[in-house]
Amino acid sequence: MTASNSNDLKRPAIIINPAKPVEVDVKALAAKHCSENGWGEPIWLETTKDDPGVGQAKEALKQGADVVIAAGGDGTVRCVAEVLAGGDVPMGLLPFGTGNLLARNLGMDVTDFDGAMAGALAGTERKIDVVRARRKDPDKEQLFLVMAGVGYDATIMADTNEDLKDKVGWLAYVDAGIRNLPGKPVRATITVDGNEVVHRGIRSVMVGNCGKVQGGLEIFPDAKMDDGLLDVAVLAPHHGKFGWLSVIAGMIGKGRGKDTAVEYFQGKSVEITLEHNDDYQLDGDHDGEGRHVLMTMDPGALTIRM
Ligand SMILES: [Mg+2]
């Protein structure tokens, strides 16, 4: 590069998990696209077990990155979004994860790394909603982009065999679910926009910002990530071994309203209080247990460039 003053050039930051094998030379890919677009050298930041992306995203902003590219899976994307949401710097995506749920929901071709890199530098921008989830005990606020939940789906996130999850996605969750049966429903109080909608035993509450999960299954058929609304699915299967099969069948068949085992709600906020602690997950990562969470929409808070 022969630019007169490299300080004038735009620079992307690339946040990557060095432990994950990637089938492409990311440094060469980035160098090629930076050169083609007249950008400076990328700011290269690697995640660690202790800091899976938040510290690196803050460092990227500190160094003046013009776009922060989350090169990883939904976990990396979520951590980078924690820092970028509410700000002006856009996020780019290099979908190197197994699920890549955000990228898929955005309609990206998750096998086209060249296109993804080009889009992150010179693509079009769109604003998407993020959901802020505030928990009591442990007292923390986190953000998610795809879906979060308490109860059964979080249990299977924790339990799912990773190799299986890589290979077969959602089916692995179902497999884990079958291994987890039988369990007891937990009594839950759920309010949507301040109105109590559920007060009974449930197995799982899933809150979505996007509709699609792996395997073509749409848990939230009507979810849009830019409508300022979150989608809530309450799963309370009928008792017995085949109860879950009816839930899954209901989802696949989008059997909305036909099967009371799955109830859907939409709103700007949802508050979930359980009778006792249960598993909790955010964008597919298990994050301990809890019995309370308040999830609130932050409309259009994150800019994606793709
Ligand atoms: Mg929405």
Side-chain angles (χ1 to χ4, degrees), residues 129 208-210 223-231 266 297:
D129 303 334
N209 192 39
C210 304
K224 292 189 182 68
M225 63 178 108
D226 55 5
D227 63 356
L229 296 171
L230 45 78
D231 284 65
Q266 254 189 350
M297 252 301 149

Short mmCIF file of all heavy atoms in Angstrom, two decimals, residues 129 208-210 223-231 266 297, ligand 1:
data_model
loop_
_atom_site.label_atom_id
_atom_site.label_comp_id
_atom_site.label_asym_id
_atom_site.label_seq_id
_atom_site.Cartn_x
_atom_site.Cartn_y
_atom_site.Cartn_z
N ASP A 129 -32.85 -4.41 15.80
CA ASP A 129 -33.18 -4.33 17.23
C ASP A 129 -32.23 -5.22 18.03
O ASP A 129 -31.76 -6.24 17.53
CB ASP A 129 -34.61 -4.85 17.47
CG ASP A 129 -35.65 -4.10 16.67
OD1 ASP A 129 -35.41 -2.93 16.33
OD2 ASP A 129 -36.72 -4.70 16.39
N GLY A 208 -37.55 -14.28 21.36
CA GLY A 208 -36.83 -14.15 20.10
C GLY A 208 -36.81 -12.74 19.56
O GLY A 208 -37.77 -11.98 19.69
N ASN A 209 -35.67 -12.43 18.97
CA ASN A 209 -35.54 -11.19 18.20
C ASN A 209 -35.59 -11.54 16.71
O ASN A 209 -35.93 -10.71 15.89
CB ASN A 209 -34.20 -10.53 18.56
CG ASN A 209 -34.08 -9.10 18.06
OD1 ASN A 209 -35.05 -8.35 18.09
ND2 ASN A 209 -32.90 -8.73 17.59
N CYS A 210 -35.21 -12.77 16.38
CA CYS A 210 -35.24 -13.30 15.02
C CYS A 210 -36.05 -14.59 15.04
O CYS A 210 -36.25 -15.18 16.09
CB CYS A 210 -33.84 -13.66 14.53
SG CYS A 210 -32.63 -12.36 14.59
N ALA A 223 -41.44 -13.33 13.59
CA ALA A 223 -40.47 -12.40 14.17
C ALA A 223 -39.75 -11.60 13.09
O ALA A 223 -39.35 -12.14 12.06
CB ALA A 223 -39.46 -13.17 15.01
N LYS A 224 -39.59 -10.31 13.35
CA LYS A 224 -38.78 -9.45 12.48
C LYS A 224 -37.79 -8.74 13.39
O LYS A 224 -38.15 -8.32 14.49
CB LYS A 224 -39.66 -8.42 11.79
CG LYS A 224 -40.61 -9.01 10.79
CD LYS A 224 -41.30 -7.91 9.98
CE LYS A 224 -42.30 -8.48 9.00
NZ LYS A 224 -43.47 -9.09 9.67
N MET A 225 -36.56 -8.58 12.90
CA MET A 225 -35.55 -8.01 13.78
C MET A 225 -35.45 -6.49 13.69
O MET A 225 -34.51 -5.90 14.17
CB MET A 225 -34.20 -8.68 13.55
CG MET A 225 -33.62 -8.49 12.20
SD MET A 225 -32.01 -9.29 12.13
CE MET A 225 -32.38 -10.69 11.11
N ASP A 226 -36.47 -5.90 13.07
CA ASP A 226 -36.45 -4.43 13.02
C ASP A 226 -37.85 -3.85 13.23
O ASP A 226 -38.15 -2.76 12.76
CB ASP A 226 -35.84 -3.95 11.71
CG ASP A 226 -36.54 -4.55 10.49
OD1 ASP A 226 -37.56 -5.25 10.67
OD2 ASP A 226 -36.07 -4.30 9.37
N ASP A 227 -38.70 -4.58 13.94
CA ASP A 227 -40.06 -4.09 14.18
C ASP A 227 -40.26 -3.56 15.59
O ASP A 227 -41.37 -3.19 15.98
CB ASP A 227 -41.12 -5.16 13.85
CG ASP A 227 -41.00 -6.39 14.74
OD1 ASP A 227 -40.06 -6.44 15.56
OD2 ASP A 227 -41.84 -7.30 14.62
N GLY A 228 -39.18 -3.54 16.38
CA GLY A 228 -39.29 -3.01 17.74
C GLY A 228 -40.07 -3.90 18.69
O GLY A 228 -40.40 -3.49 19.80
N LEU A 229 -40.34 -5.13 18.25
CA LEU A 229 -41.10 -6.05 19.10
C LEU A 229 -40.30 -7.33 19.34
O LEU A 229 -39.62 -7.82 18.43
CB LEU A 229 -42.42 -6.43 18.42
CG LEU A 229 -43.42 -5.30 18.21
CD1 LEU A 229 -44.58 -5.79 17.33
CD2 LEU A 229 -43.96 -4.79 19.56
N LEU A 230 -40.40 -7.86 20.52
CA LEU A 230 -39.83 -9.17 20.77
C LEU A 230 -40.95 -10.20 20.75
O LEU A 230 -42.12 -9.88 20.95
CB LEU A 230 -39.03 -9.20 22.08
CG LEU A 230 -39.58 -8.57 23.36
CD1 LEU A 230 -40.62 -9.45 23.99
CD2 LEU A 230 -38.44 -8.31 24.32
N ASP A 231 -40.57 -11.42 20.44
CA ASP A 231 -41.53 -12.50 20.33
C ASP A 231 -41.29 -13.50 21.45
O ASP A 231 -40.15 -13.87 21.70
CB ASP A 231 -41.40 -13.20 18.97
CG ASP A 231 -42.01 -12.37 17.85
OD1 ASP A 231 -41.48 -11.28 17.60
OD2 ASP A 231 -43.02 -12.80 17.28
N GLN A 266 -46.33 -11.17 21.76
CA GLN A 266 -45.43 -10.14 21.22
C GLN A 266 -45.54 -8.89 22.07
O GLN A 266 -46.61 -8.57 22.57
CB GLN A 266 -45.90 -9.76 19.81
CG GLN A 266 -45.03 -10.31 18.72
CD GLN A 266 -45.35 -9.75 17.35
OE1 GLN A 266 -46.36 -9.06 17.16
NE2 GLN A 266 -44.50 -10.04 16.39
N MET A 297 -36.84 -4.39 24.69
CA MET A 297 -36.42 -4.03 23.35
C MET A 297 -35.58 -2.76 23.33
O MET A 297 -35.93 -1.79 23.99
CB MET A 297 -37.68 -3.70 22.54
CG MET A 297 -38.06 -4.70 21.54
SD MET A 297 -36.73 -4.88 20.39
CE MET A 297 -36.99 -6.58 20.00
MG MG B 1 -38.98 -8.22 16.41
#
